[in-house]
Amino acid sequence: MQDTQYKGVNTQLRIYETKLLTREDFEKMLRAEDLAEALDVLKSTDYPVDVTEAIEHKNFDKFLLSHLKDMYNELYQVTPDSEVIQIHTLRYSYHNLKVLLKQRFTGMDLEHLLIPIGKYPVTTLRNLVNTEQSEKLNPIMVEGVTEAIADYETYKRVEAADVFMDTYYYKHMRTITDRLNDPTITKMADAIIDLDNLSTVVRSINQKKSRSFLHTVLSSSGSISKHAIIEAAQEGSIAVLNQLYMEKPYAKKLEDIMVSSKNDIDPMVLDKVIDEIVHDLMDEAKLQAFGPMPVMAYMFALEKEITNIRLILVGKDNKIDNAIIRERMRPIYES
Amino acid sequence: MARLNVKPTRMELANLKSRLSISTRGHKLLKDKQDELMRQFIILIRKNNELRKEVEEELTEAMKAFVVAKSLLNESFIEELFAVPDKSVTLDIQEKNIMSVMVPEMNFSVNEDDKDAELQYGLLNSNSELDDSIERINKILPKLLELSEIEKSCQLMADEIEKTRRRVNALEHLKIPQLKETIHYIEMKLEEDERASITRIMKVKDMGQ
């Protein structure tokens, strides 16, 4: 793919970027006395907030998702290669598949949990889950769903949906990045998968899960081998960091965690640092004039913005201390 | 105090006297029952208070942690994680008799097959704060169940105490005084009749002389 194909999009992105919430907007929301005031701040931005409805039903995800959906739809239209956006929207597609699989396994009605975001419409995904075949969808996705169903038929474990979909999500992401063959995107995907694996290992070690559990939940699509992680995990989470992650370009940030923790790594701090590392990677890439990276960086910023807004709104609604909210806020995109 | 509407006869008097003795005995028994129920109730209530305070504190903490964890994730993601419960719990309720009050005794058992399942929910769309809050809630569960058992017992015992107290009061303040008064009335009446008949006989005797 020609990098210059993106030059139109990247110009348009600069316009989209101006619509992102600024640090001042977030500060204003944080300083708000109550939920209504915070919503008022949000109303003055691009979000389609109905303040009375939001206060009454507390359904913040409704307008947040609708905004996210609109933005993704716009991006799908302007980006030359839809797979670039898919790297971000795959999470929703695989979430929908999990919901549909669980519906199939248990016969429960979970329709309200479907999120209409992603390259593939929900009906196509539903078709796949019902018939176990599809010509429109990526073969990786089809394979994942077939495997999950086969596993369920044999062992009758509903969690097969979660296990298989999580694994295939990473596989699918890896296939896309391999096909795009862009060194920055590959680097990014490596970092995301490796760091997700790290987070999973630390969480599993804290919960004293077994080796076979790690084998099930870790992804083998990262740049660090899954077996190496499992081996290192036997000696604790610090060992995993020391043995496998110190060569990475983002090692410095991880070192900081090791200094602050003695024996165990606090997974909450780790989750935040991981987001910061990815943010830094995106930050480096967003100023590229050509190529798909600015789109990637923008989508990442959008997702984090929504997380931050949700965090503040829920925090204001539940009268959570500003310090707790601030501590958890993800990095803000600054153009 | 109203007196019972009965005929002042010896037969009735005997009847009433036996009723009075049964009532007095019943009253004593019921009073004893009430005292014992109260004693047990107070013990339970104290335990209930302590447990409730403990559970409420822990639950508030856990819910706070959950709210924070939840705010970092899409709500549909979380609902999807827990849409299908990974454990099935069997509840076995037996009845225990405390002073003729049948209070529930609950036993919970987690299905053995489910205990082995290590993966409770997918790790992709969850975070460590969620792990933490779920673990806390899991820990509270046994206490919460114990609390529900004790609260139900307290409720049932409170009903029974109220019923017993009403019975004791009815006997003490209504039934027994009524019986006593009626007995007194019949006795008076009978004595009066006796005196009347003696006087009459004396009069008849005088008339004959």
Side-chain angles (χ1 to χ4, degrees):
Chain A
M1 191 200 314
Q2 288 287 314
D3 272 356
T4 44
Q5 274 186 312
Y6 282 86
K7 62 177 190 274
V9 190
N10 291 349
T11 332
Q12 198 149 4
L13 274 184
R14 301 294 166 229
I15 304 171
Y16 289 155
E17 275 172 5
T18 56
K19 292 182 184 168
L20 283 173
L21 264 63
T22 58
R23 191 170 288 279
E24 287 74 49
D25 290 327
F26 280 118
E27 275 304 319
K28 258 196 238 169
M29 283 178 77
L30 273 171
R31 275 199 303 270
E33 287 288 315
D34 53 15
L35 179 65
E37 213 175 297
L39 282 166
D40 274 337
V41 178
L42 199 60
K43 207 181 165 193
S44 60
T45 64
D46 228 25
Y47 283 86
V49 196
D50 179 345
V51 179
T52 358
E53 212 246 25
I55 292 179
E56 198 174 326
H57 296 108
K58 310 274 159 73
N59 191 0
F60 311 132
D61 270 328
K62 194 175 155 196
F63 61 79
L64 293 176
L65 277 182
S66 110
H67 179 78
L68 193 63
K69 189 181 146 200
D70 292 347
M71 290 316 291
Y72 275 129
N73 282 346
E74 278 184 43
L75 286 173
Y76 267 122
Q77 278 170 15
V78 294
T79 315
D81 194 336
S82 63
E83 286 199 318
V84 174
I85 306 171
Q86 234 197 325
I87 295 180
H88 278 276
T89 58
L90 267 187
R91 190 176 274 254
Y92 299 98
S93 299
Y94 276 87
H95 159 80
N96 287 341
L97 281 176
K98 281 185 199 173
V99 173
L100 292 167
L101 280 172
K102 285 189 178 174
Q103 280 203 138
R104 178 183 160 142
F105 295 163
T106 62
M108 288 162 81
D109 179 16
L110 305 171
E111 290 293 312
H112 62 288
L113 299 178
L114 293 167
I115 303 176
I117 293 179
K119 185 181 169 191
Y120 311 114
V122 174
T123 38
T124 318
L125 298 177
R126 194 192 306 275
N127 239 342
L128 167 65
V129 173
N130 288 340
T131 61
E132 292 174 49
Q133 50 194 346
S134 169
E135 281 168 12
K136 290 184 201 156
L137 296 168
N138 193 309
I140 295 274
M141 213 176 225
V142 180
E143 187 189 318
V145 169
T146 337
E147 294 249 330
I149 293 174
D151 185 274
Y152 178 75
E153 309 265 293
T154 324
Y155 302 107
K156 299 285 170 215
R157 288 182 312 199
V158 180
E159 62 263 29
D162 284 324
V163 174
F164 280 91
M165 288 306 104
D166 286 359
T167 316
Y168 275 86
Y169 162 74
Y170 288 116
K171 268 196 195 172
H172 198 154
M173 195 201 263
R174 175 54 68 197
T175 324
I176 292 177
T177 52
D178 284 350
R179 201 192 62 78
L180 289 172
N181 199 16
D182 178 301
T184 332
I185 291 190
T186 310
K187 191 173 119 193
M188 189 84 64
D190 280 346
I192 291 176
I193 302 176
D194 288 340
L195 289 169
D196 275 359
N197 271 346
L198 176 65
S199 161
T200 306
V201 165
V202 172
R203 282 166 69 185
S204 309
I205 291 175
N206 279 14
Q207 292 181 36
K208 307 203 169 33
K209 301 281 189 192
S210 68
R211 194 186 165 104
S212 62
F213 175 81
L214 282 177
H215 206 82
T216 321
V217 294
L218 287 178
S219 164
S220 45
S221 307
S223 70
I224 300 172
S225 118
K226 176 170 157 180
H227 293 282
I229 300 179
I230 297 174
E231 282 310 318
Q234 306 309 312
E235 292 164 43
S237 42
I238 303 268
V240 179
L241 267 183
N242 257 335
Q243 293 173 20
L244 303 166
Y245 286 83
M246 284 303 120
E247 302 294 306
K248 299 284 166 196
Y250 43 77
K252 179 77 193 68
K253 285 229 168 209
L254 295 176
E255 262 174 41
D256 294 345
I257 305 184
M258 292 216 291
V259 174
S260 58
S261 50
K262 284 177 190 131
N263 301 318
D264 285 322
I265 296 172
D266 181 352
M268 285 176 215
V269 180
L270 180 67
D271 279 353
K272 198 176 176 208
V273 169
I274 289 177
D275 267 353
E276 281 170 13
I277 293 174
V278 180
H279 174 83
D280 288 350
L281 285 174
M282 296 284 181
D283 231 24
E284 284 169 27
K286 76 181 178 198
L287 292 173
Q288 288 182 2
F290 304 106
M293 271 325 285
V295 184
M296 289 276 290
Y298 173 73
M299 285 187 293
F300 178 78
L302 193 63
E303 292 274 355
K304 292 302 143 193
E305 176 179 285
I306 289 198
T307 307
N308 281 339
I309 295 178
R310 191 187 294 118
L311 177 64
I312 296 180
L313 291 182
V314 173
K316 288 287 159 201
D317 186 28
N318 292 286
K319 313 248 175 306
I320 294 171
D321 201 42
N322 268 357
I324 298 177
I325 304 180
R326 261 179 221 281
E327 198 181 50
R328 284 165 179 75
M329 270 183 68
R330 284 359 192 191
I332 299 165
Y333 184 94
E334 273 155 317
S335 48
Chain B
M1 182 65 61
R3 156 182 98 210
L4 294 174
N5 185 18
V6 288
K7 289 205 172 77
T9 58
R10 274 182 199 287
M11 179 85 143
E12 218 37 86
L13 182 66
N15 259 344
L16 289 176
K17 276 192 173 161
S18 89
R19 269 171 72 186
L20 178 65
S21 88
I22 290 173
S23 295
T24 326
R25 217 171 76 217
H27 173 252
K28 191 181 170 302
L29 278 174
L30 281 172
K31 187 100 183 154
D32 286 352
K33 179 182 170 184
Q34 188 192 1
D35 289 348
E36 177 58 19
L37 271 176
M38 274 313 268
R39 198 183 64 85
Q40 301 251 18
F41 183 68
I42 287 168
I43 297 174
L44 266 185
I45 280 285
R46 280 209 185 114
K47 204 169 155 196
N48 184 28
N49 263 352
E50 274 168 31
L51 203 62
R52 187 166 248 288
K53 215 170 129 195
E54 209 176 307
V55 168
E56 268 179 10
E57 265 170 25
E58 284 176 31
L59 207 56
T60 321
E61 283 303 308
M63 287 315 280
K64 265 190 201 158
F66 181 70
V67 164
V68 177
K70 192 181 96 153
S71 61
L72 289 170
L73 294 163
N74 194 314
E75 211 161 310
S76 300
F77 284 171
I78 298 184
E79 262 195 68
E80 186 274 327
L81 295 176
F82 302 110
V84 184
D86 66 314
K87 281 185 192 139
S88 56
V89 178
T90 333
L91 171 62
D92 175 28
I93 302 186
Q94 280 169 343
E95 286 187 327
K96 197 168 71 175
N97 191 338
I98 301 181
M99 299 299 297
S100 80
V101 187
M102 298 310 262
V103 297
E105 206 176 36
M106 306 184 196
N107 285 311
F108 295 86
S109 46
V110 179
N111 197 334
E112 283 300 318
D113 292 346
D114 296 339
K115 272 188 188 163
D116 302 334
E118 277 196 294
L119 184 84
Q120 292 168 321
Y121 45 85
L123 292 176
L124 175 64
N125 290 330
S126 56
N127 57 29
S128 51
E129 296 205 43
L130 197 70
D131 296 348
D132 183 48
S133 59
I134 297 299
E135 201 185 315
R136 284 195 199 183
I137 292 173
N138 262 342
K139 268 191 200 152
I140 306 171
L141 199 64
K143 276 190 196 165
L144 201 65
L145 297 174
E146 196 188 336
L147 181 68
S148 67
E149 184 183 313
I150 293 182
E151 275 201 3
K152 187 71 202 166
S153 305
C154 284
Q155 215 177 19
L156 290 170
M157 283 180 77
D159 279 353
E160 185 65 23
I161 289 175
E162 206 186 312
K163 239 189 271 174
T164 317
R165 183 161 42 204
R166 231 178 336 204
R167 282 188 192 143
V168 171
N169 280 348
L171 281 175
E172 192 175 324
H173 299 295
L174 199 75
K175 215 73 201 168
I176 295 178
Q178 258 178 1
L179 285 171
K180 278 187 179 159
E181 193 178 322
T182 318
I183 289 171
H184 180 70
Y185 160 72
I186 297 181
E187 276 173 354
M188 288 296 124
K189 189 83 179 164
L190 287 177
E191 277 174 26
E192 179 65 27
D193 280 356
E194 209 166 313
R195 273 192 299 276
S197 81
I198 289 173
T199 326
R200 200 165 50 244
I201 292 169
M202 282 167 72
K203 261 288 182 254
V204 171
K205 207 174 164 190
D206 283 351
M207 278 162 72
Q209 280 175 352

